[in-house]
Amino acid sequence: MVQTYKHEPFTDFSQETNKTDYLTGLKTVKAYLGQDYDLVIGGERISTEDKIISYNPANKEEVIGRVSKADRELAEKAMKAADEAFTTWKKVKAEVRADVLFKAAAIIRRRKHEFSALLTKEAGKPWNEADADTAEAIDFMEFYARQMLLLKDGVPVQSRPNEDNRYDYIPLGVGIIISPWNFPFAIMAGTTVAAIVTGNTVLLKPASTTPVVAAKFVEVMEEAGLPKGVLNFVPGSGAEVGDYLVDHPRTRFVSFTGSREVGTRIFERASKVNEGQIWLKRVIAEMGGKDTIVVDKEADLELAAQSIVKSAFSFSGQKCSACSRAVIVEDVYDQVLNRAVELTKELTVGNPEDKNNFTGPVIDQNAFKKIIEYIEIGKEEGRLMVGGEGDDSTGYFVKPTIIADLEPKARLMQEEIFGPVVAFSKAKDFDQAIEIANNTDYGLTGAVITSNRTNMEKAREDFHVGNLYFNRGCTGAIVGYQPFGGFNMSGTDSKAGGPDYLVLHMQGKTTSEMY
Ligand code: NAD
């Protein structure tokens, strides 16, 4: 009997046994560093000459693994394998598909700290952040498996006398899953299993900076009994393999999570009907954010400063939900800003393998360069309060940075930086604060710190973001509790971990019989 869904608890690392388990996980990962990983196409393992090399962003010398790289020919082979597997997988009972997810979740739970340790090595995640990423991957499997069981017999519709009407959901076909590096386990696995449990077959193209955790996940799915060809593993260049697969006439849908730039490109390309294509492709795109915490004058100001600092700087601000703007009513602006600066000065940056470091590196040289450039822009546009520098000699470390006194339309207030940089801006009152909060192209997350119920209700209606939080930070959505996804240029309004997410991977079929 399937138990009621509950999210995977986070590990308490103040407990010695948990600390020891994590260190054991790190040892396990160290033992397999530098290994080669193959493509998986129709169950066949294929090794290529050309490899994606995954490095530890905290220690540029350390190779995490070498992953075979698909080209167009191999992408085509994978498409054929997925197309063929679809003819049988779509007929497999929903309960059986759900069981694969339940078993995969159990395998990952058993190897939880190994997976988290791999995320520490490959993505530079501090212990607690890596633990949350693994927990979320487990949650997606547990949650989507149960959601599929709810949908397996369709949903009721009306029937008249002597008539039997049914409304069932059937899968779409072959899906292309394109995932980002910042939740290299949770989002990669979540988007993949949502497509699979609904009866589709997929080609998984993980981010090039974090392909090893994806290769390990593919092994888990095989161990859980997933038939050959349902999940095909095709790491490769976004431009070469990505475009080819998005354009492919047999592609039925694309599930993408990543930047606005790539997401809009995919959206545009997928809208073109290519030779031999007999459907309009569906695109699920989860894109960037420019997320704001608003602080009212009637508010717990300590909570405000803590929430801003934690949401802005945990995992070095590399979350689509990260707080990158703090908009504060003028009466309390200086107080919140000064306290946030004080708290930020206490944060330690360094190798995330050391549990005492609050945050680790940013993902790679490109990210490092981009963030440092934005800090320079910030120094011109506003007032540097703390941080403002980086060190890329051993890894890509950037100090948590606060830039104050920004105009609402400043570049630092508008463009996604995706690093440990938060912009502070002053509003004359709460209404203006909400106006500023809404003034970007995005609409992903936001938070409001207030003790004024009228203002809270105003924000509930007017603050146009997919995930709005009150009196807490703006990161950390939990699968099944806070369905996640944004408005406007943050994506296609889908909600990962929500009650209507799976339906995006299916089509409704009506049947009607006369008795
Ligand atoms: P990215 O857009 O650079 O890459 C995402 C994926 O797209 C990678 O696998 C990449 O290889 C692939 N890609 C690149 N070019 C492609 C092309 N032409 N065709 C097909 N695929 C292509 O993003 P990233 O740097 O990996 O991730 C960070 C971004 O993701 C940020 O903007 C962040 O806000 C966003 N994000 C959004 C959410 C959300 O739920 N809304 C969650 C996580 C991350």
Side-chain angles (χ1 to χ4, degrees):
M1 159 104 173
V2 177
Q3 305 295 307
T4 308
Y5 169 77
K6 278 205 187 82
H7 81 89
E8 181 71 13
F10 299 127
T11 307
D12 174 3
F13 288 115
S14 65
Q15 302 271 323
E16 277 309 313
T17 55
N18 291 337
K19 257 192 239 172
T20 310
D21 288 349
Y22 203 89
L23 291 170
T24 308
L26 272 170
K27 271 196 203 130
T28 308
V29 173
K30 270 183 194 145
Y32 58 64
L33 286 183
Q35 276 184 10
D36 284 359
Y37 297 88
D38 295 336
L39 307 177
V40 183
I41 298 179
E44 185 192 344
R45 296 197 125 62
I46 298 174
S47 172
T48 61
E49 278 291 300
D50 202 7
K51 301 267 197 275
I52 297 173
I53 304 185
S54 170
Y55 295 96
N56 179 347
N59 172 9
K60 299 190 272 186
E61 306 287 295
E62 190 170 68
V63 172
I64 306 302
R66 296 154 38 89
V67 182
S68 281
K69 199 171 172 185
D71 54 15
R72 287 181 182 195
E73 212 176 296
L74 289 162
E76 180 61 34
K77 187 176 162 80
M79 176 57 83
K80 288 214 168 75
D83 222 355
E84 196 187 314
F86 181 62
T87 58
T88 48
W89 182 244
K90 68 180 178 187
K91 293 191 184 287
V92 170
K93 283 200 323 199
E95 289 88 336
V96 176
R97 301 197 303 248
D99 277 346
V100 174
L101 271 59
F102 287 133
K103 178 155 184 191
I107 296 168
I108 292 163
R109 200 176 280 114
R110 278 201 288 276
R111 292 171 54 190
K112 190 169 178 175
H113 298 305
E114 176 204 332
F115 268 103
S116 302
L118 176 55
L119 295 170
T120 297
K121 283 274 191 194
E122 192 172 36
K125 291 213 168 193
W127 293 26
N128 60 337
E129 297 288 334
D131 182 63
D133 196 332
T134 305
E136 192 176 356
I138 295 171
D139 286 348
F140 277 131
M141 291 176 200
E142 296 280 357
F143 181 74
Y144 291 146
R146 285 171 176 79
Q147 287 291 310
M148 190 60 227
L149 295 179
L150 291 178
L151 291 171
K152 71 183 169 61
D153 298 319
V155 292
V157 288
Q158 302 300 316
S159 292
R160 292 168 293 191
N162 299 320
E163 184 187 60
D164 175 39
N165 295 328
R166 295 186 202 175
Y167 187 67
D168 294 299
Y169 287 114
I170 63 168
L172 289 172
V174 177
I176 312 299
I177 311 293
I178 302 174
S179 56
W181 53 265
N182 71 327
F183 280 87
F185 195 10
I187 293 180
M188 177 275 305
T191 48
T192 302
V193 300
I196 286 176
V197 79
T198 41
N200 305 287
T201 56
V202 302
L203 275 65
L204 167 63
K205 198 213 82 58
S208 299
T209 38
T210 54
V212 173
V213 63
K216 293 275 173 198
F217 160 72
V218 171
E219 289 171 9
V220 168
M221 293 299 280
E222 288 174 331
E223 190 185 336
L226 192 69
K228 293 179 180 15
V230 176
L231 167 53
N232 300 280
F233 183 53
V234 287
S237 134
E240 192 189 348
V241 176
D243 281 351
Y244 179 75
L245 291 174
V246 168
D247 296 348
H248 202 289
R250 295 300 299 165
T251 292
R252 183 63 185 81
F253 67 101
V254 181
S255 174
F256 166 83
T257 312
S259 62
R260 168 182 176 174
E261 188 192 354
V262 176
T264 43
R265 178 190 176 93
I266 289 175
F267 190 69
E268 206 177 311
R269 292 187 84 106
S271 70
K272 184 167 183 301
V273 178
N274 288 312
E275 174 108 23
Q277 186 178 322
I278 55 164
W279 45 62
L280 299 176
K281 290 171 190 166
R282 204 177 283 178
V283 176
I284 305 166
E286 317 250 4
M287 310 193 294
K290 190 70 191 169
D291 311 307
T292 310
I293 295 187
V294 168
V295 184
D296 196 2
K297 66 179 178 193
E298 291 166 57
D300 177 340
L301 302 186
E302 178 61 22
L303 173 71
Q306 298 270 3
S307 304
I308 292 166
V309 168
K310 184 161 183 286
S311 304
F313 301 134
S314 47
F315 190 40
S316 300
Q318 301 173 106
K319 300 182 187 179
C320 49
S321 57
C323 168
S324 59
R325 322 191 316 154
V327 176
I328 300 168
V329 172
E330 64 184 7
D331 313 49
V332 295
Y333 179 82
D334 288 334
Q335 213 176 322
V336 176
L337 174 62
N338 292 337
R339 181 66 185 134
V341 169
E342 253 172 45
L343 290 169
T344 303
K345 284 182 178 156
E346 290 166 13
L347 303 179
T348 49
V349 184
N351 195 318
E353 281 176 53
D354 177 350
K355 187 186 152 294
N356 298 318
N357 283 327
F358 170 77
T359 194
V362 299
I363 192 67
D364 61 9
Q365 187 72 54
N366 285 342
F368 180 85
K369 188 167 164 280
K370 178 179 160 192
I371 296 162
I372 297 293
E373 279 168 13
Y374 268 110
I375 290 174
E376 291 309 313
I377 296 168
K379 284 182 191 164
E380 309 254 304
E381 287 184 328
R383 187 160 55 109
L384 174 68
M385 301 297 296
V386 58
E389 52 191 38
D391 176 357
D392 62 349
S393 50
T394 51
Y396 310 105
F397 297 98
V398 182
K399 287 205 174 138
T401 298
I402 295 182
I403 311 272
D405 306 347
L406 287 151
E407 289 301 321
K409 282 288 181 185
R411 284 185 67 190
L412 239 72
M413 289 285 289
Q414 295 295 322
E415 297 169 21
E416 189 183 44
I417 302 168
F418 224 58
V421 182
V422 61
F424 275 62
S425 188
K426 199 184 278 183
K428 71 174 174 2
D429 55 24
F430 189 78
D431 285 0
Q432 194 190 36
I434 296 297
E435 235 171 74
I436 298 171
N438 281 333
N439 81 355
T440 76
D441 294 350
Y442 298 101
L444 192 46
T445 75
V448 176
I449 314 292
T450 182
S451 50
N452 180 320
R453 177 73 40 198
T454 309
N455 284 349
M456 194 185 283
E457 291 315 309
K458 180 184 167 46
R460 202 188 292 274
E461 271 185 27
D462 296 343
F463 193 167
H464 193 61
V465 289
N467 283 62
L468 179 61
Y469 303 102
F470 294 110
N471 293 322
R472 52 159 286 183
C474 58
T475 61
I478 305 277
V479 171
Y481 295 62
Q482 290 118 0
F484 186 82
F487 300 148
N488 294 348
M489 276 301 172
S490 293
T492 45
D493 317 314
S494 48
K495 281 287 198 272
D500 41 17
Y501 187 71
L502 287 191
V503 173
L504 302 173
H505 305 74
M506 296 187 283
Q507 50 199 338
K509 182 166 183 174
T510 302
T511 54
S512 181
E513 180 186 349
M514 294 311 295
Y515 292 149

